[in-house]
mmCIF file of all heavy atoms in Angstrom:
data_model
loop_
_atom_site.group_PDB
_atom_site.id
_atom_site.type_symbol
_atom_site.label_atom_id
_atom_site.label_comp_id
_atom_site.label_asym_id
_atom_site.label_seq_id
_atom_site.Cartn_x
_atom_site.Cartn_y
_atom_site.Cartn_z
ATOM 1 N N LEU A 1 145.133 -4.428 -12.533
ATOM 2 C CA LEU A 1 146.540 -4.614 -12.878
ATOM 3 C C LEU A 1 147.404 -3.401 -12.527
ATOM 4 O O LEU A 1 148.540 -3.555 -12.085
ATOM 5 C CB LEU A 1 146.660 -4.938 -14.367
ATOM 6 C CG LEU A 1 147.774 -5.858 -14.785
ATOM 7 C CD1 LEU A 1 147.756 -7.146 -13.996
ATOM 8 C CD2 LEU A 1 147.690 -6.158 -16.255
ATOM 9 N N GLY A 2 146.867 -2.208 -12.709
ATOM 10 C CA GLY A 2 147.624 -1.001 -12.365
ATOM 11 C C GLY A 2 147.938 -0.932 -10.884
ATOM 12 O O GLY A 2 149.051 -0.565 -10.474
ATOM 13 N N PHE A 3 146.974 -1.294 -10.063
ATOM 14 C CA PHE A 3 147.192 -1.301 -8.619
ATOM 15 C C PHE A 3 148.159 -2.409 -8.207
ATOM 16 O O PHE A 3 148.962 -2.235 -7.286
ATOM 17 C CB PHE A 3 145.862 -1.455 -7.879
ATOM 18 C CG PHE A 3 144.957 -0.275 -8.055
ATOM 19 C CD1 PHE A 3 143.774 -0.415 -8.766
ATOM 20 C CD2 PHE A 3 145.287 0.969 -7.551
ATOM 21 C CE1 PHE A 3 142.932 0.662 -8.951
ATOM 22 C CE2 PHE A 3 144.459 2.054 -7.730
ATOM 23 C CZ PHE A 3 143.279 1.905 -8.433
ATOM 24 N N ILE A 4 148.068 -3.538 -8.888
ATOM 25 C CA ILE A 4 149.004 -4.627 -8.621
ATOM 26 C C ILE A 4 150.424 -4.184 -8.954
ATOM 27 O O ILE A 4 151.370 -4.465 -8.205
ATOM 28 C CB ILE A 4 148.604 -5.889 -9.415
ATOM 29 C CG1 ILE A 4 147.263 -6.426 -8.895
ATOM 30 C CG2 ILE A 4 149.685 -6.962 -9.347
ATOM 31 C CD1 ILE A 4 146.657 -7.519 -9.751
ATOM 32 N N TYR A 5 150.569 -3.450 -10.049
ATOM 33 C CA TYR A 5 151.898 -2.940 -10.420
ATOM 34 C C TYR A 5 152.431 -1.984 -9.361
ATOM 35 O O TYR A 5 153.605 -2.056 -8.993
ATOM 36 C CB TYR A 5 151.847 -2.258 -11.788
ATOM 37 C CG TYR A 5 153.143 -1.606 -12.180
ATOM 38 C CD1 TYR A 5 154.301 -2.361 -12.335
ATOM 39 C CD2 TYR A 5 153.235 -0.231 -12.383
ATOM 40 C CE1 TYR A 5 155.504 -1.769 -12.682
ATOM 41 C CE2 TYR A 5 154.427 0.358 -12.737
ATOM 42 C CZ TYR A 5 155.559 -0.417 -12.882
ATOM 43 O OH TYR A 5 156.732 0.166 -13.214
ATOM 44 N N LEU A 6 151.599 -1.108 -8.867
ATOM 45 C CA LEU A 6 152.043 -0.187 -7.810
ATOM 46 C C LEU A 6 152.479 -0.954 -6.568
ATOM 47 O O LEU A 6 153.462 -0.581 -5.909
ATOM 48 C CB LEU A 6 150.934 0.802 -7.474
ATOM 49 C CG LEU A 6 150.611 1.827 -8.560
ATOM 50 C CD1 LEU A 6 149.421 2.685 -8.138
ATOM 51 C CD2 LEU A 6 151.815 2.685 -8.862
ATOM 52 N N GLY A 7 151.768 -2.026 -6.245
ATOM 53 C CA GLY A 7 152.164 -2.864 -5.114
ATOM 54 C C GLY A 7 153.507 -3.526 -5.331
ATOM 55 O O GLY A 7 154.327 -3.630 -4.412
ATOM 56 N N THR A 8 153.744 -3.974 -6.560
ATOM 57 C CA THR A 8 155.031 -4.610 -6.849
ATOM 58 C C THR A 8 156.169 -3.604 -6.785
ATOM 59 O O THR A 8 157.279 -3.963 -6.404
ATOM 60 C CB THR A 8 155.030 -5.310 -8.220
ATOM 61 O OG1 THR A 8 154.772 -4.366 -9.245
ATOM 62 C CG2 THR A 8 154.032 -6.441 -8.260
ATOM 63 N N LEU A 9 155.904 -2.353 -7.146
ATOM 64 C CA LEU A 9 156.934 -1.327 -7.016
ATOM 65 C C LEU A 9 157.291 -1.107 -5.549
ATOM 66 O O LEU A 9 158.465 -0.905 -5.209
ATOM 67 C CB LEU A 9 156.478 -0.006 -7.643
ATOM 68 C CG LEU A 9 156.504 0.059 -9.157
ATOM 69 C CD1 LEU A 9 156.023 1.428 -9.629
ATOM 70 C CD2 LEU A 9 157.894 -0.205 -9.680
ATOM 71 N N LEU A 10 156.300 -1.128 -4.683
ATOM 72 C CA LEU A 10 156.549 -0.985 -3.250
ATOM 73 C C LEU A 10 157.376 -2.160 -2.738
ATOM 74 O O LEU A 10 158.335 -1.963 -1.978
ATOM 75 C CB LEU A 10 155.229 -0.879 -2.487
ATOM 76 C CG LEU A 10 155.342 -0.758 -0.975
ATOM 77 C CD1 LEU A 10 156.033 0.546 -0.598
ATOM 78 C CD2 LEU A 10 153.968 -0.830 -0.339
ATOM 79 N N ILE A 11 157.044 -3.359 -3.167
ATOM 80 C CA ILE A 11 157.814 -4.543 -2.762
ATOM 81 C C ILE A 11 159.245 -4.437 -3.274
ATOM 82 O O ILE A 11 160.205 -4.761 -2.556
ATOM 83 C CB ILE A 11 157.132 -5.828 -3.263
ATOM 84 C CG1 ILE A 11 155.807 -6.033 -2.524
ATOM 85 C CG2 ILE A 11 158.039 -7.043 -3.100
ATOM 86 C CD1 ILE A 11 154.935 -7.118 -3.095
ATOM 87 N N LYS A 12 159.412 -3.959 -4.496
ATOM 88 C CA LYS A 12 160.752 -3.799 -5.072
ATOM 89 C C LYS A 12 161.559 -2.792 -4.261
ATOM 90 O O LYS A 12 162.746 -3.010 -3.987
ATOM 91 C CB LYS A 12 160.647 -3.355 -6.533
ATOM 92 C CG LYS A 12 161.961 -3.263 -7.257
ATOM 93 C CD LYS A 12 161.736 -2.862 -8.711
ATOM 94 C CE LYS A 12 163.028 -2.648 -9.443
ATOM 95 N NZ LYS A 12 162.821 -2.237 -10.837
ATOM 96 N N LEU A 13 160.935 -1.705 -3.841
ATOM 97 C CA LEU A 13 161.613 -0.697 -3.026
ATOM 98 C C LEU A 13 162.029 -1.279 -1.677
ATOM 99 O O LEU A 13 163.163 -1.055 -1.219
ATOM 100 C CB LEU A 13 160.699 0.516 -2.821
ATOM 101 C CG LEU A 13 161.213 1.597 -1.893
ATOM 102 C CD1 LEU A 13 162.433 2.271 -2.474
ATOM 103 C CD2 LEU A 13 160.126 2.612 -1.613
ATOM 104 N N ILE A 14 161.151 -2.030 -1.053
ATOM 105 C CA ILE A 14 161.465 -2.644 0.243
ATOM 106 C C ILE A 14 162.616 -3.642 0.102
ATOM 107 O O ILE A 14 163.551 -3.658 0.922
ATOM 108 C CB ILE A 14 160.209 -3.316 0.838
ATOM 109 C CG1 ILE A 14 159.193 -2.250 1.249
ATOM 110 C CG2 ILE A 14 160.567 -4.207 2.027
ATOM 111 C CD1 ILE A 14 157.820 -2.783 1.594
ATOM 112 N N LEU A 15 162.572 -4.458 -0.944
ATOM 113 C CA LEU A 15 163.647 -5.422 -1.167
ATOM 114 C C LEU A 15 164.971 -4.720 -1.457
ATOM 115 O O LEU A 15 166.030 -5.173 -1.009
ATOM 116 C CB LEU A 15 163.281 -6.375 -2.309
ATOM 117 C CG LEU A 15 162.191 -7.391 -1.988
ATOM 118 C CD1 LEU A 15 161.819 -8.179 -3.239
ATOM 119 C CD2 LEU A 15 162.625 -8.321 -0.870
ATOM 120 N N PHE A 16 164.932 -3.619 -2.201
ATOM 121 C CA PHE A 16 166.149 -2.859 -2.460
ATOM 122 C C PHE A 16 166.742 -2.364 -1.145
ATOM 123 O O PHE A 16 167.956 -2.450 -0.927
ATOM 124 C CB PHE A 16 165.865 -1.678 -3.402
ATOM 125 C CG PHE A 16 167.095 -0.904 -3.757
ATOM 126 C CD1 PHE A 16 167.906 -1.324 -4.799
ATOM 127 C CD2 PHE A 16 167.451 0.241 -3.070
ATOM 128 C CE1 PHE A 16 169.048 -0.613 -5.139
ATOM 129 C CE2 PHE A 16 168.583 0.951 -3.395
ATOM 130 C CZ PHE A 16 169.388 0.513 -4.432
ATOM 131 N N CYS A 17 165.888 -1.844 -0.283
ATOM 132 C CA CYS A 17 166.354 -1.357 1.024
ATOM 133 C C CYS A 17 166.946 -2.490 1.858
ATOM 134 O O CYS A 17 167.948 -2.294 2.550
ATOM 135 C CB CYS A 17 165.219 -0.685 1.786
ATOM 136 S SG CYS A 17 164.665 0.851 1.046
ATOM 137 N N LEU A 18 166.356 -3.667 1.799
ATOM 138 C CA LEU A 18 166.880 -4.810 2.557
ATOM 139 C C LEU A 18 168.213 -5.297 1.999
ATOM 140 O O LEU A 18 169.160 -5.547 2.750
ATOM 141 C CB LEU A 18 165.873 -5.960 2.547
ATOM 142 C CG LEU A 18 164.614 -5.780 3.377
ATOM 143 C CD1 LEU A 18 163.650 -6.941 3.153
ATOM 144 C CD2 LEU A 18 164.956 -5.654 4.851
ATOM 145 N N PHE A 19 168.293 -5.459 0.681
ATOM 146 C CA PHE A 19 169.512 -5.984 0.072
ATOM 147 C C PHE A 19 170.683 -5.015 0.144
ATOM 148 O O PHE A 19 171.826 -5.436 0.271
ATOM 149 C CB PHE A 19 169.277 -6.364 -1.390
ATOM 150 C CG PHE A 19 168.394 -7.557 -1.578
ATOM 151 C CD1 PHE A 19 167.670 -7.715 -2.749
ATOM 152 C CD2 PHE A 19 168.267 -8.542 -0.622
ATOM 153 C CE1 PHE A 19 166.856 -8.812 -2.949
ATOM 154 C CE2 PHE A 19 167.462 -9.646 -0.802
ATOM 155 C CZ PHE A 19 166.751 -9.782 -1.970
ATOM 156 N N PHE A 20 170.409 -3.745 0.040
ATOM 157 C CA PHE A 20 171.489 -2.764 -0.048
ATOM 158 C C PHE A 20 171.542 -1.847 1.166
ATOM 159 O O PHE A 20 172.026 -0.717 1.073
ATOM 160 C CB PHE A 20 171.341 -1.942 -1.332
ATOM 161 C CG PHE A 20 171.470 -2.779 -2.564
ATOM 162 C CD1 PHE A 20 170.358 -3.124 -3.302
ATOM 163 C CD2 PHE A 20 172.699 -3.263 -2.969
ATOM 164 C CE1 PHE A 20 170.464 -3.917 -4.425
ATOM 165 C CE2 PHE A 20 172.822 -4.048 -4.088
ATOM 166 C CZ PHE A 20 171.703 -4.384 -4.827
ATOM 167 N N TYR A 21 171.072 -2.328 2.305
ATOM 168 C CA TYR A 21 171.060 -1.486 3.497
ATOM 169 C C TYR A 21 172.474 -1.076 3.907
ATOM 170 O O TYR A 21 172.753 0.114 4.054
ATOM 171 C CB TYR A 21 170.372 -2.206 4.669
ATOM 172 C CG TYR A 21 170.329 -1.351 5.902
ATOM 173 C CD1 TYR A 21 169.391 -0.328 6.011
ATOM 174 C CD2 TYR A 21 171.235 -1.529 6.937
ATOM 175 C CE1 TYR A 21 169.344 0.484 7.118
ATOM 176 C CE2 TYR A 21 171.196 -0.729 8.050
ATOM 177 C CZ TYR A 21 170.254 0.276 8.152
ATOM 178 O OH TYR A 21 170.222 1.082 9.246
ATOM 179 N N ASN A 22 173.386 -2.038 4.073
ATOM 180 C CA ASN A 22 174.741 -1.706 4.512
ATOM 181 C C ASN A 22 175.523 -0.863 3.511
ATOM 182 O O ASN A 22 176.086 0.160 3.880
ATOM 183 C CB ASN A 22 175.524 -2.974 4.867
ATOM 184 C CG ASN A 22 175.102 -3.537 6.200
ATOM 185 O OD1 ASN A 22 174.627 -2.813 7.067
ATOM 186 N ND2 ASN A 22 175.244 -4.836 6.363
ATOM 187 N N PRO A 23 175.587 -1.254 2.239
ATOM 188 C CA PRO A 23 176.412 -0.445 1.331
ATOM 189 C C PRO A 23 175.808 0.908 0.968
ATOM 190 O O PRO A 23 176.536 1.827 0.624
ATOM 191 C CB PRO A 23 176.553 -1.313 0.085
ATOM 192 C CG PRO A 23 175.471 -2.305 0.154
ATOM 193 C CD PRO A 23 175.103 -2.463 1.590
ATOM 194 N N VAL A 24 174.502 1.062 1.070
ATOM 195 C CA VAL A 24 173.883 2.297 0.585
ATOM 196 C C VAL A 24 173.371 3.177 1.715
ATOM 197 O O VAL A 24 173.561 4.389 1.709
ATOM 198 C CB VAL A 24 172.741 1.974 -0.416
ATOM 199 C CG1 VAL A 24 172.003 3.224 -0.816
ATOM 200 C CG2 VAL A 24 173.301 1.282 -1.645
ATOM 201 N N PHE A 25 172.729 2.595 2.697
ATOM 202 C CA PHE A 25 172.035 3.398 3.698
ATOM 203 C C PHE A 25 172.833 3.684 4.957
ATOM 204 O O PHE A 25 172.366 4.418 5.823
ATOM 205 C CB PHE A 25 170.699 2.741 4.052
ATOM 206 C CG PHE A 25 169.758 2.704 2.898
ATOM 207 C CD1 PHE A 25 169.481 1.511 2.248
ATOM 208 C CD2 PHE A 25 169.161 3.856 2.432
ATOM 209 C CE1 PHE A 25 168.622 1.479 1.168
ATOM 210 C CE2 PHE A 25 168.312 3.835 1.345
ATOM 211 C CZ PHE A 25 168.036 2.643 0.718
ATOM 212 N N THR A 26 174.020 3.122 5.103
ATOM 213 C CA THR A 26 174.833 3.423 6.275
ATOM 214 C C THR A 26 175.883 4.493 5.988
ATOM 215 O O THR A 26 176.608 4.886 6.884
ATOM 216 C CB THR A 26 175.520 2.145 6.809
ATOM 217 O OG1 THR A 26 176.315 1.577 5.770
ATOM 218 C CG2 THR A 26 174.495 1.146 7.299
ATOM 219 N N VAL A 27 175.944 4.973 4.774
ATOM 220 C CA VAL A 27 176.905 6.007 4.384
ATOM 221 C C VAL A 27 176.368 7.361 4.820
ATOM 222 O O VAL A 27 175.177 7.650 4.670
ATOM 223 C CB VAL A 27 177.134 5.976 2.853
ATOM 224 C CG1 VAL A 27 178.057 7.077 2.418
ATOM 225 C CG2 VAL A 27 177.664 4.626 2.435
ATOM 226 N N ASP A 28 177.245 8.194 5.383
ATOM 227 C CA ASP A 28 176.819 9.516 5.839
ATOM 228 C C ASP A 28 176.346 10.392 4.691
ATOM 229 O O ASP A 28 175.294 11.000 4.758
ATOM 230 C CB ASP A 28 177.950 10.224 6.586
ATOM 231 C CG ASP A 28 178.220 9.572 7.933
ATOM 232 O OD1 ASP A 28 177.280 8.963 8.486
ATOM 233 O OD2 ASP A 28 179.357 9.661 8.412
ATOM 234 N N SER A 29 177.134 10.455 3.641
ATOM 235 C CA SER A 29 176.717 11.236 2.474
ATOM 236 C C SER A 29 177.391 10.666 1.235
ATOM 237 O O SER A 29 178.479 10.123 1.286
ATOM 238 C CB SER A 29 177.086 12.708 2.640
ATOM 239 O OG SER A 29 178.488 12.859 2.677
ATOM 240 N N PHE A 30 176.701 10.809 0.122
ATOM 241 C CA PHE A 30 177.204 10.332 -1.155
ATOM 242 C C PHE A 30 177.769 11.486 -1.958
ATOM 243 O O PHE A 30 177.272 12.614 -1.873
ATOM 244 C CB PHE A 30 176.081 9.696 -1.984
ATOM 245 C CG PHE A 30 175.678 8.334 -1.539
ATOM 246 C CD1 PHE A 30 174.386 8.074 -1.145
ATOM 247 C CD2 PHE A 30 176.589 7.298 -1.536
ATOM 248 C CE1 PHE A 30 174.009 6.817 -0.742
ATOM 249 C CE2 PHE A 30 176.223 6.027 -1.140
ATOM 250 C CZ PHE A 30 174.937 5.790 -0.738
ATOM 251 N N SER A 31 178.755 11.172 -2.778
ATOM 252 C CA SER A 31 179.227 12.148 -3.750
ATOM 253 C C SER A 31 178.217 12.198 -4.891
ATOM 254 O O SER A 31 177.342 11.343 -5.005
ATOM 255 C CB SER A 31 180.608 11.746 -4.269
ATOM 256 O OG SER A 31 180.518 10.565 -5.031
ATOM 257 N N PHE A 32 178.351 13.196 -5.741
ATOM 258 C CA PHE A 32 177.460 13.316 -6.898
ATOM 259 C C PHE A 32 177.566 12.075 -7.787
ATOM 260 O O PHE A 32 176.561 11.580 -8.298
ATOM 261 C CB PHE A 32 177.788 14.582 -7.694
ATOM 262 C CG PHE A 32 176.946 14.750 -8.910
ATOM 263 C CD1 PHE A 32 175.628 15.166 -8.809
ATOM 264 C CD2 PHE A 32 177.459 14.475 -10.171
ATOM 265 C CE1 PHE A 32 174.840 15.311 -9.932
ATOM 266 C CE2 PHE A 32 176.683 14.617 -11.298
ATOM 267 C CZ PHE A 32 175.365 15.042 -11.169
ATOM 268 N N ASN A 33 178.786 11.548 -7.958
ATOM 269 C CA ASN A 33 178.998 10.363 -8.797
ATOM 270 C C ASN A 33 178.255 9.151 -8.238
ATOM 271 O O ASN A 33 177.685 8.370 -8.994
ATOM 272 C CB ASN A 33 180.486 10.039 -8.896
ATOM 273 C CG ASN A 33 181.270 11.182 -9.485
ATOM 274 O OD1 ASN A 33 180.756 11.917 -10.310
ATOM 275 N ND2 ASN A 33 182.499 11.335 -9.044
ATOM 276 N N GLU A 34 178.266 8.998 -6.933
ATOM 277 C CA GLU A 34 177.582 7.863 -6.321
ATOM 278 C C GLU A 34 176.066 8.009 -6.433
ATOM 279 O O GLU A 34 175.358 7.026 -6.669
ATOM 280 C CB GLU A 34 177.998 7.724 -4.854
ATOM 281 C CG GLU A 34 179.433 7.266 -4.705
ATOM 282 C CD GLU A 34 179.913 7.281 -3.282
ATOM 283 O OE1 GLU A 34 179.513 8.177 -2.509
ATOM 284 O OE2 GLU A 34 180.696 6.378 -2.929
ATOM 285 N N LYS A 35 175.574 9.222 -6.285
ATOM 286 C CA LYS A 35 174.137 9.450 -6.448
ATOM 287 C C LYS A 35 173.701 9.116 -7.870
ATOM 288 O O LYS A 35 172.664 8.481 -8.083
ATOM 289 C CB LYS A 35 173.779 10.903 -6.131
ATOM 290 C CG LYS A 35 173.891 11.250 -4.671
ATOM 291 C CD LYS A 35 173.593 12.723 -4.448
ATOM 292 C CE LYS A 35 173.854 13.126 -3.016
ATOM 293 N NZ LYS A 35 173.671 14.564 -2.795
ATOM 294 N N MET A 36 174.490 9.537 -8.831
ATOM 295 C CA MET A 36 174.160 9.246 -10.228
ATOM 296 C C MET A 36 174.294 7.755 -10.528
ATOM 297 O O MET A 36 173.519 7.205 -11.321
ATOM 298 C CB MET A 36 175.046 10.064 -11.175
ATOM 299 C CG MET A 36 174.771 11.549 -11.141
ATOM 300 S SD MET A 36 173.042 11.990 -11.340
ATOM 301 C CE MET A 36 172.709 11.434 -12.977
ATOM 302 N N ALA A 37 175.262 7.096 -9.892
ATOM 303 C CA ALA A 37 175.445 5.662 -10.102
ATOM 304 C C ALA A 37 174.246 4.874 -9.571
ATOM 305 O O ALA A 37 173.963 3.782 -10.055
ATOM 306 C CB ALA A 37 176.732 5.183 -9.438
ATOM 307 N N LEU A 38 173.542 5.400 -8.589
ATOM 308 C CA LEU A 38 172.312 4.771 -8.111
ATOM 309 C C LEU A 38 171.110 5.148 -8.962
ATOM 310 O O LEU A 38 170.229 4.334 -9.198
ATOM 311 C CB LEU A 38 172.035 5.180 -6.655
ATOM 312 C CG LEU A 38 172.864 4.514 -5.585
ATOM 313 C CD1 LEU A 38 172.588 5.151 -4.235
ATOM 314 C CD2 LEU A 38 172.576 3.031 -5.539
ATOM 315 N N PHE A 39 171.091 6.385 -9.429
ATOM 316 C CA PHE A 39 169.930 6.890 -10.160
ATOM 317 C C PHE A 39 169.855 6.363 -11.597
ATOM 318 O O PHE A 39 168.775 6.052 -12.084
ATOM 319 C CB PHE A 39 169.954 8.424 -10.174
ATOM 320 C CG PHE A 39 168.819 9.023 -10.940
ATOM 321 C CD1 PHE A 39 167.530 8.984 -10.431
ATOM 322 C CD2 PHE A 39 169.026 9.614 -12.176
ATOM 323 C CE1 PHE A 39 166.478 9.527 -11.131
ATOM 324 C CE2 PHE A 39 167.986 10.151 -12.891
ATOM 325 C CZ PHE A 39 166.702 10.117 -12.366
ATOM 326 N N ILE A 40 170.975 6.245 -12.270
ATOM 327 C CA ILE A 40 170.990 5.841 -13.683
ATOM 328 C C ILE A 40 170.385 4.445 -13.883
ATOM 329 O O ILE A 40 169.495 4.281 -14.724
ATOM 330 C CB ILE A 40 172.407 5.960 -14.280
ATOM 331 C CG1 ILE A 40 172.777 7.440 -14.406
ATOM 332 C CG2 ILE A 40 172.508 5.251 -15.626
ATOM 333 C CD1 ILE A 40 174.222 7.696 -14.764
ATOM 334 N N PRO A 41 170.809 3.415 -13.136
ATOM 335 C CA PRO A 41 170.161 2.098 -13.339
ATOM 336 C C PRO A 41 168.681 2.123 -12.976
ATOM 337 O O PRO A 41 167.868 1.487 -13.658
ATOM 338 C CB PRO A 41 170.923 1.155 -12.410
ATOM 339 C CG PRO A 41 172.099 1.880 -11.936
ATOM 340 C CD PRO A 41 171.917 3.313 -12.209
ATOM 341 N N LEU A 42 168.332 2.852 -11.927
ATOM 342 C CA LEU A 42 166.927 2.966 -11.545
ATOM 343 C C LEU A 42 166.119 3.556 -12.681
ATOM 344 O O LEU A 42 165.066 3.018 -13.052
ATOM 345 C CB LEU A 42 166.789 3.840 -10.295
ATOM 346 C CG LEU A 42 165.367 4.192 -9.884
ATOM 347 C CD1 LEU A 42 164.649 2.960 -9.372
ATOM 348 C CD2 LEU A 42 165.377 5.279 -8.838
#
């Protein structure tokens, strides 16, 4: 089960990258507020 959980975390990370590629990963740099806005929900 622990290994299955680690696999699901990897899938969650990949899906996050797919869903939020344009709004998150195409930005040159984030302000501190934007970094925290991503980190807090995570």
Side-chain angles (χ1 to χ4, degrees):
L1 213 53
F3 294 113
I4 294 170
Y5 175 62
L6 291 176
T8 60
L9 284 180
L10 179 65
I11 292 170
K12 185 178 175 181
L13 175 66
I14 291 169
L15 288 174
F16 183 84
C17 292
L18 288 174
F19 291 154
F20 297 104
Y21 181 78
N22 284 334
V24 174
F25 295 108
T26 58
V27 177
D28 290 334
S29 65
F30 284 121
S31 67
F32 178 76
N33 301 328
E34 290 173 325
K35 290 177 186 176
M36 292 309 296
L38 284 173
F39 178 72
I40 290 170
L42 173 69

